[in-house]
Amino acid sequence: MDHKFVFEGIGTKWVINLYQLNRGVELKNLEKAILDRVEKFDKDYSRFRQDSWVWKLSQNPGLYHLPPDGKKMFDIYSKLYQATGGKFTPMIGDLISATGYDHLYSFVSKNVSTLKSWDEVLAVKGADIEIFSTALLDFGAAGKGYLVDILTDLLKEYSNSFSINASGDIYAFNCTEKVGLENPFDTSQVVGVVDIKNMSIAGSATNRRVWGKYHHIFDPTTLESTAGVVAVWVIANEAIIADAIATCLFLVGPEDLNEFDFEYLILDSKMEARYSKGFQGALFSVTN
Amino acid sequence: MNNEKGNKSIILASVIGLLVLVGLGGFLFTRKDTDGEGNEMIKADDSVSKNTNVATTAPTTKGVYKDGTYEAKGDYVSPGGAEEIDVRVTLTKNVITDSSVAAMATRPTSKMMQQDFVANYKSLVIGKNIDEVMLTQVSGSSLTPKGFNDAIAKIKSQAAQ
């Protein structure tokens, strides 16, 4: 009695497969609970809507209360900001917007300039955050993965076997999903397959969100989109980690990210792959 | 050609040499099987150095090898415990055209273990059509919403004018 729930959320397509439902669960209640939680997350962290918490912080300095799930978000961003020497930063929202991928989807570049540092912009103080100097924060690098984890915890109340696919960030709970690794140069193909069970995989690539000379992953030290790496997949216990690390691997090498536990596969523009020892799956190449 | 014991030690030496090339020279291993062709010897040449992190000196041995894939398994002890690796070498016309080192670990990989070992590389990655592959999900870049796609289409048509 499999049930598939497809919806749009935080700017992309979600597919939840329910392979089992606990006794007494009504699907419409479950679906509503999911959509409500997705909307709350969007209203907190989206830089695309002017009624969001992130938009409010971008307008005025001051002391603001963090959303309950905010502490973990800033904690991970802080660790990766330090590990990447500031290349992985929530302040990237200002740069992405300036190059055109703004809340109006104007795709016109204006006022591209260096980003403020973490300490210039904000400090987390317990359940609050102080904004010293405004910036448009963007949590796209880890937000989708975080929401996968949040919905996983929610779904465990309703189902003992399900998977969530947030457009490439996948968590499989008590089931095995055979995940094809999409070829960024030809999306009718996959370059490999990996089994995911009670783990998360995040996929990132530069082929879709493209405008002018830019794609959506930026290096704040060059003020340009990154070059060289075209696709990354990361496997970790939590989707927030998989998602965040996947973005980091466009900016730094895996050796810089030792504090975290993950497996990875990096594909470059020459169709060469580099992968961690524990990244287990099939990878297709000319000789096999 | 030569007796099997001699061949085994030559193949062993060559595969060790190959592992040196991919930076894993510290491992001891035993060769478990061939591709079924038996008494052949492996010759490596400079074509293997197309992988960027590979040393450029290559051992050479005498002999002619049948095309095919040769495999060896290696055992080593990591801080996490005993592990096994699988080395595979593909020969085409006496040249190593592919090599890979695959993890056989069954326990979750620890951070410490990741730090201890070099990454694996594979060149000439290709795609296979989705309907030809057994899979249940696809992971890649996020699908874009309609608003995004419409805006991109609009600026592209404006740029074309």
Side-chain angles (χ1 to χ4, degrees):
Chain A
M1 46 86 60
D2 295 355
H3 179 74
K4 197 185 284 274
F5 181 34
V6 182
F7 59 92
E8 290 285 316
I10 59 167
T12 195
K13 179 182 171 185
W14 293 65
V15 178
I16 295 183
N17 282 294
L18 298 161
Y19 300 116
Q20 183 269 353
L21 280 178
N22 293 344
R23 196 137 58 129
V25 167
E26 284 195 38
L27 272 173
K28 62 181 190 328
N29 293 341
L30 171 52
E31 291 179 0
K32 182 178 188 310
I34 290 169
L35 292 176
D36 286 350
R37 190 61 184 90
V38 170
E39 167 61 14
K40 173 160 177 26
F41 192 91
D42 195 60
K43 193 144 191 261
D44 285 335
Y45 299 114
S46 173
R47 65 176 173 87
F48 292 95
R49 50 192 290 181
Q50 293 177 288
D51 63 343
S52 76
W53 181 78
V54 155
W55 189 271
K56 189 168 63 170
L57 266 59
S58 72
Q59 300 301 298
N60 291 295
L63 191 68
Y64 298 88
H65 202 60
L66 279 170
D69 50 23
K71 185 173 184 337
K72 180 167 186 172
M73 184 85 92
F74 281 92
D75 187 52
I76 285 173
Y77 268 82
S78 172
K79 289 191 165 99
L80 289 172
Y81 181 90
Q82 287 168 66
T84 61
K87 291 187 175 192
F88 180 93
T89 169
M91 273 60 81
I92 204 76
D94 280 326
L95 177 55
I96 309 179
S97 285
T99 61
Y101 186 9
D102 56 26
H103 70 286
L104 298 170
Y105 294 153
S106 72
F107 296 117
V108 171
S109 189
K110 49 190 171 297
N111 299 332
V112 173
S113 58
T114 53
L115 298 178
K116 298 173 185 175
S117 71
W118 184 288
D119 292 336
E120 276 182 274
V121 173
L122 68 95
V124 172
K125 298 177 170 179
D128 296 322
I129 178 170
E130 175 142 21
I131 300 295
F132 306 112
S133 177
T134 57
L136 184 63
L137 303 179
D138 176 89
F139 295 103
K144 193 172 61 160
Y146 194 16
L147 186 52
V148 169
D149 288 335
I150 289 168
L151 292 183
T152 293
D153 287 343
L154 187 161
L155 275 169
K156 284 176 179 175
E157 309 281 322
Y158 295 83
S159 165
N160 197 38
S161 175
F162 58 84
S163 70
I164 302 178
N165 184 346
S167 217
D169 288 8
I170 297 168
Y171 190 88
F173 179 63
N174 291 344
C175 61
T176 300
E177 296 288 3
K178 293 186 124 19
V179 179
L181 310 178
E182 187 182 64
N183 183 351
F185 297 104
D186 180 345
T187 57
S188 70
Q189 296 183 339
V190 290
V191 296
V193 186
V194 55
D195 282 0
I196 295 293
K197 178 179 182 177
N198 292 328
M199 292 281 265
S200 173
I201 183 167
S204 277
T206 56
N207 57 311
R208 283 198 165 90
R209 288 166 205 249
V210 175
W211 66 101
K213 61 171 179 164
Y214 298 113
H215 65 72
H216 75 291
I217 301 176
F218 285 86
D219 183 338
T221 62
T222 62
L223 302 180
E224 300 286 342
S225 297
T226 60
V229 174
V230 298
V232 173
W233 290 272
V234 175
I235 296 172
N237 287 325
E238 292 177 285
I240 187 175
I241 301 296
D243 200 9
I245 297 284
T247 300
C248 287
L249 290 173
F250 286 86
L251 298 163
V252 298
E255 58 281 352
D256 293 330
L257 306 168
N258 280 332
E259 189 185 348
F260 295 90
D261 204 0
F262 61 93
E263 306 293 344
Y264 67 87
L265 172 71
I266 300 167
L267 187 65
D268 70 17
S269 50
K270 299 195 295 284
M271 291 307 260
E272 285 214 353
R274 173 185 175 190
Y275 52 100
S276 58
K277 185 177 92 70
F279 193 99
Q280 299 190 317
L283 183 61
F284 308 138
S285 73
V286 167
T287 54
N288 64 16
Chain B
M1 214 155 59
N2 301 330
N3 65 50
E4 187 161 333
K5 191 169 177 205
N7 278 339
K8 273 188 179 166
S9 60
I10 289 164
I11 292 168
L12 180 66
S14 301
V15 185
I16 287 174
L18 175 68
L19 284 191
V20 169
L21 291 173
V22 297
L24 295 168
F27 298 163
L28 293 176
F29 59 95
T30 55
R31 189 177 135 272
K32 294 278 165 68
D33 57 46
T34 65
D35 67 347
E37 295 301 327
N39 306 315
E40 307 296 344
M41 292 156 64
I42 296 173
K43 176 179 135 186
D45 74 7
D46 289 340
S47 67
V48 77
S49 60
K50 67 186 171 190
N51 281 328
T52 49
N53 272 21
V54 170
T56 53
T57 56
T60 56
T61 55
K62 298 185 285 215
V64 174
Y65 303 95
K66 277 225 166 90
D67 290 357
T69 299
Y70 296 75
E71 182 177 340
K73 282 186 172 42
D75 299 304
Y76 61 88
V77 179
S78 82
E83 294 289 351
E84 198 180 41
I85 57 167
D86 177 30
V87 179
R88 207 165 283 198
V89 178
T90 300
L91 301 183
T92 307
K93 297 181 173 36
N94 277 354
V95 165
I96 294 180
T97 53
D98 187 38
S99 61
S100 66
V101 178
M104 312 289 283
T106 53
R107 72 172 62 79
T109 305
S110 71
K111 293 177 294 203
M112 213 181 347
M113 287 166 74
Q114 285 170 24
Q115 285 163 2
D116 285 348
F117 303 105
V118 282
N120 301 315
Y121 292 82
K122 196 174 269 286
S123 302
L124 302 175
V125 169
I126 56 165
K128 291 191 184 179
N129 283 323
I130 280 176
D131 43 9
E132 290 167 25
V133 177
M134 177 105 89
L135 53 82
T136 59
Q137 302 279 355
V138 173
S139 174
S141 59
S142 304
L143 297 176
T144 43
K146 187 174 186 301
F148 183 102
N149 299 335
D150 290 350
I152 289 283
K154 190 166 152 196
I155 57 155
K156 274 186 178 162
S157 69
Q158 281 168 357
Q161 282 157 18

